[in-house]
Amino acid sequence: LKMPVMDGFEATKTIMEQWPQTTIIAQTAYTQTDEIEKILKFGAKDFLTKPIEIAKLLNTLKKHLTEK
């Protein structure tokens, strides 16, 4: 969510306005509930926290790939 030019919240909002069918899975070091709720409100479909656990990454991808 923390990026140099535009933060992940604004990037997610911009992407979803232009391509609403896009599935965004946010990657973040933030674990506070309010930050997670905020990114989901901006349009992300899911999130992964750092450090990335391979099993959770694969399960999350599988979940969203099989929804389509």
Side-chain angles (χ1 to χ4, degrees), residues 7 13 25 27 33-34 36 51-52 54:
D7 70 27
K13 180 180 173 190
I25 301 170
Q27 176 190 348
T33 303
D34 59 325
I36 293 167
I52 299 290
I54 297 298

Side-chain angles (χ1 to χ4, degrees), residues 2-60:
K2 186 175 181 181
M3 300 186 311
V5 176
M6 177 186 300
D7 70 27
F9 301 109
E10 191 62 33
T12 299
K13 180 180 173 190
T14 301
I15 291 167
M16 294 309 292
E17 287 171 351
Q18 294 181 25
W19 302 284
Q21 74 285 358
T22 302
T23 299
I24 296 175
I25 301 170
Q27 176 190 348
T28 181
Y30 300 126
T31 57
Q32 296 95 345
T33 303
D34 59 325
E35 294 291 329
I36 293 167
E37 288 175 359
K38 183 177 176 182
I39 194 59
L40 295 174
K41 265 191 215 176
F42 274 74
K45 301 289 189 252
D46 215 328
F47 66 93
L48 294 167
T49 57
K50 294 179 184 177
I52 299 290
E53 298 173 24
I54 297 298
K56 188 168 185 177
L57 169 63
L58 295 174
N59 286 335
T60 301

